[in-house]
Each structure stands twice: as structure tokens, then as C-alpha cells.
Amino acid sequence: MAHILVTGGAGYVGAVVTARLQQAGHSATVVDNLSTGHRAAVSGARLVEADLEDDAALEGIFSAESFAGVVHFASHCRVEESIVHPVKYFRDNVGGSLKLFDAMLRHGVKALVFSSSCAVYGEPSQVPITEDQPLDPINPYGESKLFVERILKAYQRAYGMRSVSLRYFNACGAAVDGRLGESHHPETHLIPLVLRAAADGDYALTLFGNDYPTPDGTCVRDYIHVEDLATAHLAALKRLLEGMGREVYNIGTGNGLSVRQIIESAQRVTGSRVRHTVGPRRDGDPPVLVADASRAKSALGWTPRYSDPATILGTAWNWFRNPRY
Ligand code: UFG
């Protein structure tokens, strides 16, 4: 069993992974600046409130404790914001990662699981998307994730830093025990907004575009439950602790769901109508993003178990009605 540093462990995915790491017998320290994370999402782990850009804080963390590895979530992750404020994405996502890796190398910690994104592919020429397809992000968020992947490649060669980058597709759902879930302010993601429309008859979701070249005209995404993301992180960490080198995996189900299909599932799960209006396309939205996740399935022995629409919407609805933070 290992002691792990989790950056961004008070955030949506980070908190679920931290909890599941502890359930698997590992111990964790979380570093999070709480800019979007929640103190109440961290339990059973030490929480250090700090920015990754804070050299002194990082030095303090790595001097005080000895880590077998790092799971690195901390980053900004809003595509639209990244187009308007790219400086946040390059300075914090890339700059913060560089500072973290400096501290790791100074202290001889050379195993890292990195939260990457399907945004590294941009508008894919083929779906489902394999890891070998061209990397051509169409927004600074995706660029920042790709930059960090490239840094990790160079650092492996130069410094022996071992890493597994997990390219998530659309993270969604809430912890099956109801203790952890998604609380973004402002909320921009589809599923929480669909549930808001189901709960509040006065709120109507804006559906961003119904003229895409997809079966029902709305965007298709590969929705992956946060519990399945957590098992992928545990499997990746296991590989690293066994001494594996640099690896990159898509983490998705391989099944695409359209915005309209999500609305229909939400109506089934909640028993309420989801009011919506059709608006223009949102800048930077590719029509279809679906993973070919066969590499993760075979190499990590990973299988998604919670990513069917009923479980995704059911756990998310449970959290929506009873959020803990
Ligand atoms: N959508 C709407 N109305 C809304 C919100 C979303 O129609 O109010 C649509 C979007 O156009 C998109 C789909 O619902 O087609 C999903 O949108 P989300 O905002 O929930 O998720 P994204 O697909 O935009 O973003 C996800 C991750 C990002 C990642 C990106 C890669 O959240 O971190 O995929 O493109 F970068």
C-alpha cells in the first residue's frame, strides 16, 4: 500500500479518486487551492491548501512526507473560458505542472498519473478515436493538456519520470454512495443543467445546436461515470507502482450519446420534463467525440461498470437532490 499525493483532490474527479484510493488501502495527501474544489469533499486525507505555483508550499509538502507517486488533477477545465482567458490555462495548467514536476524530481518521486483529456484530439478525423490519431487541439484547454503530455514524454527520456496519461472523455455521474459529486460554480456541463431543468420548471436548458452531422442533429459525446474514471486511475497507479513506463490511454466507454438522448434519459430517470430551447452552436464543440478505449481495457484490465445512461443519470440525480457541498 502506498502514500500518494493527489493534486486537485478536492475537485469533482479528484475527490472520488482520493476516496477510492483510501478504500483500496492507500493513504493520500491532497494539495488543492480550493478555487473550484471543496474542503468538504476531502475526508481521511491531509488537505494542504496551496497553489501548485507556490514553490515553498510544494517544497514543504515533499519534505514533510514521502510519496510513492502523484495523481495530478489540478487544472482549470472549461473549454470556453480557455478561449477567452488562455493565460490561465497556459500559466496554471502548464506552469503549475512544471512546478509540480520540479518538486517531484528534487525529491526523487518519479511516478505520475496525469488527468488528460480527449480535447487533445481536437476535431478527430475518425471516430471512435484511438490514441494514435493526430493530436490537434482546437482550444487552449486542450493545448494545455497536450503540452503537459509532451513534457512528460521528454521528462521520461531525460529524467526517468514514469507516467500514465488518462485522456478522459466526458466525466459525469456521482459517487454511488451519494457522498461525492459535481458542484461547479458556474455550472456549464450538460448533465447537471439537464437535471436543473427537470427540477425547476422555470429553467430551460439551451441546447447548443441541432444541425450537426449526427443522427439527431445534436452533439454526440462519450459519457464516462466518475466511478469508472476512479477505477482507471487505480489501475494506472498499480502499473506505475509495478515499474511501468510512459503510457497514454483513452478513458471512455466507446458508446456515444447525443444531447437529445441525455435529455430523454433524464426525463425517464426523473419522471419530469426537461424544458429546453435550441440555441446556436457553442464555439469549439466538435460534433462527435467517442473513444476507442480498447487499449485501456486490455492493458489496464479496466472495464466501465457504471457508465450506462440510467446509472449516470440516476447517481447524478441523487446528488442533485442531496448535494453534500
Ligand atoms: N451542451 C448543451 N447545452 C448546455 C451545455 C452543454 O447543449 O447548456 C452540449 C454541448 O454542446 C456538448 C454536450 O452538451 O455537445 C456536452 O457538453 P459539456 O459542456 O457537458 O461537455 P464538453 O463535451 O464540452 O466538455 C468535455 C469536458 C471538457 C473537455 C471536453 C472536450 O468537460 O473538460 O469535453 O471537448 F475538454
Side-chain angles (χ1 to χ4, degrees), residues 46 190 219:
R46 185 165 87 95
L190 178 66
C219 285

Side-chain angles (χ1 to χ4, degrees), residues 77 79 117-119 139 141 169-170 188-191 193 203 205-208 219-221 223 259 282 284-286 289:
C77 57
V79 170
S117 167
C118 62
N139 50 60
Y141 168 70
F169 281 64
N170 284 55
T188 61
H189 293 97
L190 178 66
I191 290 177
L193 294 177
Y203 172 75
L205 173 87
T206 305
L207 198 162
F208 297 140
C219 285
V220 172
R221 295 286 180 272
Y223 292 88
V259 176
R282 185 173 66 177
D285 268 344
L289 291 172

Side-chain angles (χ1 to χ4, degrees), residues 3 10 14 30 86 113 115 136 146-147 165 179 202 238 254 290 301 305:
H3 188 48
V30 167
V113 182
S115 297
D136 191 12
L146 181 55
F147 246 95
S165 293
R179 288 165 190 252
D202 292 335
K238 183 165 178 282
V290 175
R305 298 197 190 285

Side-chain angles (χ1 to χ4, degrees), residues 100-317:
L100 172 69
F101 302 161
D102 283 351
M104 289 174 65
L105 291 174
R106 276 199 308 277
H107 291 271
V109 180
K110 295 193 174 182
L112 179 100
V113 182
F114 173 56
S115 297
S116 188
S117 167
C118 62
V120 298
Y121 298 110
E123 297 220 15
S125 49
Q126 259 182 296
V127 282
I129 306 169
T130 60
E131 289 85 352
D132 304 322
Q133 279 190 36
L135 301 173
D136 191 12
I138 54 172
N139 50 60
Y141 168 70
E143 296 280 9
S144 74
K145 292 290 178 184
L146 181 55
F147 246 95
V148 175
E149 285 196 14
R150 290 190 165 144
I151 291 165
L152 289 171
K153 186 174 181 181
Y155 278 27
Q156 185 203 18
R157 194 174 301 154
Y159 312 125
M161 171 102 93
R162 292 177 301 104
S163 66
V164 178
S165 293
L166 300 178
R167 293 177 180 159
Y168 313 164
F169 281 64
N170 284 55
C172 59
V176 287
D177 61 11
R179 288 165 190 252
L180 300 165
E182 184 167 14
S183 289
H184 298 117
H185 304 287
E187 187 51 78
T188 61
H189 293 97
L190 178 66
I191 290 177
L193 294 177
V194 165
L195 296 176
R196 185 175 156 199
D200 173 0
D202 292 335
Y203 172 75
L205 173 87
T206 305
L207 198 162
F208 297 140
N210 65 354
D211 58 351
Y212 283 97
T214 58
D216 66 18
T218 66
C219 285
V220 172
R221 295 286 180 272
D222 186 333
Y223 292 88
I224 181 80
H225 195 286
V226 67
E227 293 281 7
D228 289 328
L229 281 175
T231 51
H233 285 76
L234 262 70
L237 189 65
K238 183 165 178 282
R239 301 265 299 170
L240 286 168
L241 298 177
E242 286 167 358
M244 300 299 169
R246 193 183 64 85
E247 298 171 10
V248 176
Y249 298 106
N250 285 340
I251 303 297
T253 63
N255 298 319
L257 292 172
S258 72
V259 176
R260 283 207 188 283
Q261 287 175 308
I262 292 287
I263 292 174
E264 282 157 20
S265 294
Q267 293 184 149
R268 269 197 298 279
V269 165
T270 63
S272 299
R273 203 176 139 243
V274 172
R275 276 185 62 214
H276 58 277
T277 56
V278 177
R281 292 182 178 195
R282 185 173 66 177
D283 225 14
D285 268 344
V288 181
L289 291 172
V290 175
D292 178 332
S294 40
R295 187 190 284 180
K297 288 177 184 166
S298 60
L300 298 177
W302 170 80
T303 315
R305 298 197 190 285
Y306 298 96
S307 296
D308 58 286
T311 308
I312 289 172
L313 271 305
T315 56
W317 181 231

